[in-house]
Each structure stands twice: as structure tokens, then as C-alpha cells.
Amino acid sequence: MKHLFVNPSRKISKIDKNIYGHFSEHLGRGIYGGIFVGEDSGIPNVRGIRTDVVQALRHIRVPVIRWPGGCFADYYNWRDGIGPRSERRRIVNTSWGGSVEDNSFGTHEFLDLCEQLGCSPYIAGNVGSGTVRELSEWIEYMNSDGESPMADLRRKNGREEPWGVTYIGIGNESWGCGGHMSAEYYAGLYKQYATYARPYGGTQLYKAACGPDGADYAWTDTVMRLAGNFMDALSLHYYTMPGYYSTDPYKWEKKSSATDFDEANYYRTLVRALYMDELITGHKFVMDQHDPEKRVALCVDEWGAWHAAEPGTPPSFLYQQNTMRDAIVAAVSLNIFNKHSDRVRMANLAQMINVIQSVILTEGDKIVLTPTYHVFDLYKAHQDAELLESYVQQDFIGTEEAQVPAIHASASEGADGKVRITLANLSANESQSVCCTLSGGNFSSAAVRCLSGRMNDYNSFEDPYKVQIQTMPAIPVEGNRFQLEAPACSVFEITLS
Ligand code: AHR
């Protein structure tokens, strides 16, 4: 028996809804085919944006989307993507496979998508190959309301009202594909870009600096020390890559099949996903030295399980299937973000559609909701809720090489006053009995929704409903205690009343 304790009277921090955010880049079929099909397409759309995709994303209440990259952001010139589509510059996407980018999805189209979804846009500005003026004018174009050259240009292109975009990222992976910069050099550049990112139209910007690659604590320390006062957030990128690591560099294989894997690989994946907890703890510690009030947020604006591309698809398109293993990665990661919500105030799954760990896959007019999508559905009530103190008393499972906790959970109280627990059973093949004790409140019933399957089960275009959320019979709560049987490889939402 595993024991979970939740204290409904001990509220720790607000779980910012943006922790449930997404990332979408001009990469493979992430934008074209996945979101944008054009107005003349036979696929139902509103101004070129797929209706089925908008409906599905609205259901999981997507709060924020980061765009246009990624590595592509540091190559992107926003002026290529405005004005009549027939006149837009066709460029080569040198970041991702050299495909032709016709720029038919640009600023207006992205902000239209956000308006259709009712979510916030998060613009990733170009520091790697752009200029300070370019980014400043992009913000002016989106936000200026009076008479100004960029507001006039926007109006000429058909949009009268400014969009009032708040979230601006300044550079992407500036230590890598965004320019291979040192932390000192980047911190100086950051301040220069941030200075000219003005509050056009009275919109106060939320400026995010490029943060570390995984465990590069020195980067965090330097950028916080030199530029911390000029930023609202620092990003963190970390991908779960469950392939085989060897000390022999010729045998390094970071990525392995998304669907065909064994238990050793499954548990290794989970160990690497759980490492997110250690990373956030480490970066929080460094940030605390410079910003003990926690004014600057940590924004995990790229995370996800990155496997090998589906056989038969271009490797540079990063198109991969998504199994129950990925669902457990998502469940564990979102619990970790919830638990660090005192500092983590945004996270963006990479990537929303058809790229890496997606919530939706498309093929022509067909659409599949992945197991990861269903986890976002099970967890959506945590958005803007208050994190509650919780603790799991348990043992560890897995292989000799990869030990993981059997149960992983977090809990919150929503604005509706309801206490909710999200919980995952990480075991690939054993169900777990979980006894949950609430140390306060007065509860009589637990409503339960559950996602479960074998570790490599997935939804395909041939079998789109193999993995689905099941609503279970309510469980009676007696003396503020209830017991739950969690099948192997499962994720739960439990709502108490
Ligand atoms: O998400 C794919 C790529 O991963 C992004 O473009 C880049 O920022 C990261 O390295």
C-alpha cells in the first residue's frame, strides 16, 4: 500500500495557468498542416486555421503559446510574414531541413490563432541574427495604438486595434543555435534588447531572458547577476532523451524509437523526466541568491520527451508518435512544475502539434489526440489553483539501473473551492493500492477520471481512441480517507467533494 497525504489547509503558492502552456515552431508540420491549412483548403478552417485543432485545444484550455521558435526564431524576420500573402518573401528554413518557408503564417495569423483559442501569445524575438531595432519595431507593430510608423503599417495590413502582446522572449538558446554566446556577452546584449522593448500602447511587457541549457548553473548565475534586474523571467530548456548513453562517444544514441521500447528504456525515460525536479531545484537555488523575493520567474519554455522520428518521415521534421510512456512523462513533469510554482510560472510543451511530444497529430484532414493531450485534460483544473502541501510515502520501483518512485502526485484547491489531486502510477506492469488521507476539510466523495494502458499503447490514425480518459465510479471518502486502485501505467484526476 502506498500512502498519499494532502493538507487542504496548507496553501503553498499559486499554480500559474501558464505552466500548462505550449510551444509551436516553424518546423516540419508543426505550423503548416498542423495549424494552418490556408483559406482555400478542403479542411474546415477559419481564416486558414484548422477548426478541429482549435476545438481540441480550447478543450484543454491552452493558456499561452510560444512562437515562432525555437532555433527558427533567431533566424526569423517578422517583416517577411506580414502583408498580402502572395507578396511575402519565400525563404529557406535553414534551421530545420532546408524546407521552403512561404511565410503564409506570420504575425497576423499567429495572433488570430491566439484570439480563436483565447490564449496569450508569447513571442520569441530574434537576437541571434536580428537587430535591436527589428525587435523594437515588431513590438511597436503589435502593440502601438496611436499614430506611429508601425501602427500605421499594421492598419494598412488590415488590423486596426493593437493586440497588446505581453510576453516577449529575448533570444532562444543563445548559448547554442541562437548564436553560441557566452553568458557575459548574452547578458549585455539582453539589456540592450530589453531597453528598446518599449511599452507601446501602454502594454507593460513581460520580458524573458534566455536561460540555461539543462544543468548549466553558471549561466543562470551570470545572467541573473548581470541582467536579473532587467527581466521578468529566465527560461530553462530541458528535454527527456531516453536513448542509450555510453562512455564510448561512437555509441552515443540519445534518441530511440517512440513506440518500440522495452522496460529498461521505459524506466530510463522516467528517470530522465524526474531529473527536471533536480534541475529546477538547482536553478531556483541560484536564482534565490540574486532574487530572494522570487520576482523573476523560471520559465521552462521548452520541455518534452524527444524520441527518434517516425520511420519514413524526414528526420529534420521531428515527427514522433506518443505513447502512455509520454503520458507518464507529462504527468510527472506537470506535477513537478506545480510543486515548484513559487518560482516556475510558465512552461511550454515542445511542441504542440506534429513535432516532438505533441498533444495533437494530424495527417491531411485527420486528427489524433495523443495520450499527452489527455494528461493536459486531466490536469487542466490546476490552472490558477492554489498548490496544496502533499507527500507520498512509498517505495521505489524499476530496474537496477533506473529506480523511480512508484507514485507521483500533486494537489491543489481551485477557485471553485474544490480540492483536486493528480496522481500517476509509474509502474509499467503492476497496479498499486493508494491510500489517500486528507488532514483537514470534510469530504464524502472522490470523483475519478483515469487514463491507463500498456506503456507503449498509442493512438493512431487507424485506431484513434485506443487510449482515452475513463470516468470511474465515485469513491466514498470516510473519515477523510479513501483508497484507490491505480492500474499499471496510469494517470488520475481525483476531485473531492
Ligand atoms: O524544439 C526543437 C528545438 O529544440 C528548438 O528549436 C530549440 O530551441 C531546441 O534545441
Side-chain angles (χ1 to χ4, degrees), residues 21 63 73 109 152 195 207 209 251 271 324 330 370 383 393 462 480:
E109 290 78 13
D152 293 346
T195 302
K207 299 172 199 169
K251 285 196 185 149
V271 166
M324 273 307 296
T370 66
Q383 292 190 25
Q393 189 186 55
E462 296 71 40
N480 273 357

Side-chain angles (χ1 to χ4, degrees), residues 404-417:
V404 298
I407 298 293
H408 202 271
S410 67
S412 72
E413 184 185 303
D416 57 1

Side-chain angles (χ1 to χ4, degrees), residues 162-349:
W163 285 283
V165 173
T166 308
Y167 299 106
I168 303 290
I170 298 186
N172 171 76
E173 300 195 351
S174 305
W175 36 262
C177 68
H180 295 282
M181 300 172 195
S182 69
E184 287 79 4
Y185 181 75
Y186 170 74
L189 258 191
Y190 171 83
K191 284 190 280 189
Q192 193 183 348
Y193 274 78
T195 302
Y196 295 95
R198 308 277 202 212
Y200 290 104
T203 299
Q204 289 304 321
L205 301 178
Y206 184 98
K207 299 172 199 169
C210 165
D213 174 18
D216 187 353
Y217 300 111
W219 177 281
T220 299
D221 186 46
T222 304
V223 174
M224 283 298 290
R225 178 166 50 80
L226 298 178
N229 290 342
F230 298 81
M231 68 182 74
D232 300 290
L234 184 75
S235 72
L236 166 67
H237 288 185
Y238 172 68
Y239 286 95
T240 296
M241 290 187 176
Y244 174 72
Y245 283 83
S246 152
T247 45
D248 177 350
Y250 296 101
K251 285 196 185 149
W252 271 38
E253 180 49 77
K254 287 191 185 175
K255 296 179 198 156
S256 52
S257 168
T259 50
D260 183 14
F261 53 88
D262 58 13
E263 271 188 31
N265 186 295
Y266 170 83
Y267 286 113
R268 199 159 60 228
T269 309
L270 299 191
V271 166
R272 289 181 187 159
L274 286 157
Y275 179 57
M276 181 69 88
D277 197 9
E278 185 182 323
L279 273 182
I280 293 176
T281 305
H283 288 294
K284 273 170 70 173
F285 178 83
V286 178
M287 291 176 82
D288 283 350
Q289 311 309 306
H290 301 280
D291 173 35
E293 277 80 42
K294 300 188 192 296
R295 188 190 63 78
V296 179
L298 186 63
C299 200
V300 189
D301 62 18
E302 286 188 30
W303 69 273
W306 194 334
H307 309 298
E310 275 301 285
T313 65
S316 63
F317 280 20
L318 311 182
Y319 175 78
Q320 63 186 52
Q321 248 300 349
N322 193 294
T323 63
M324 273 307 296
R325 171 178 63 163
D326 298 293
I328 302 287
V329 169
V332 159
S333 305
L334 293 169
N335 283 336
I336 292 171
F337 300 148
N338 286 348
K339 291 203 153 200
H340 287 288
S341 51
D342 60 333
R343 181 71 86 174
V344 175
R345 295 185 204 121
M346 193 193 288
N348 306 75
L349 177 71

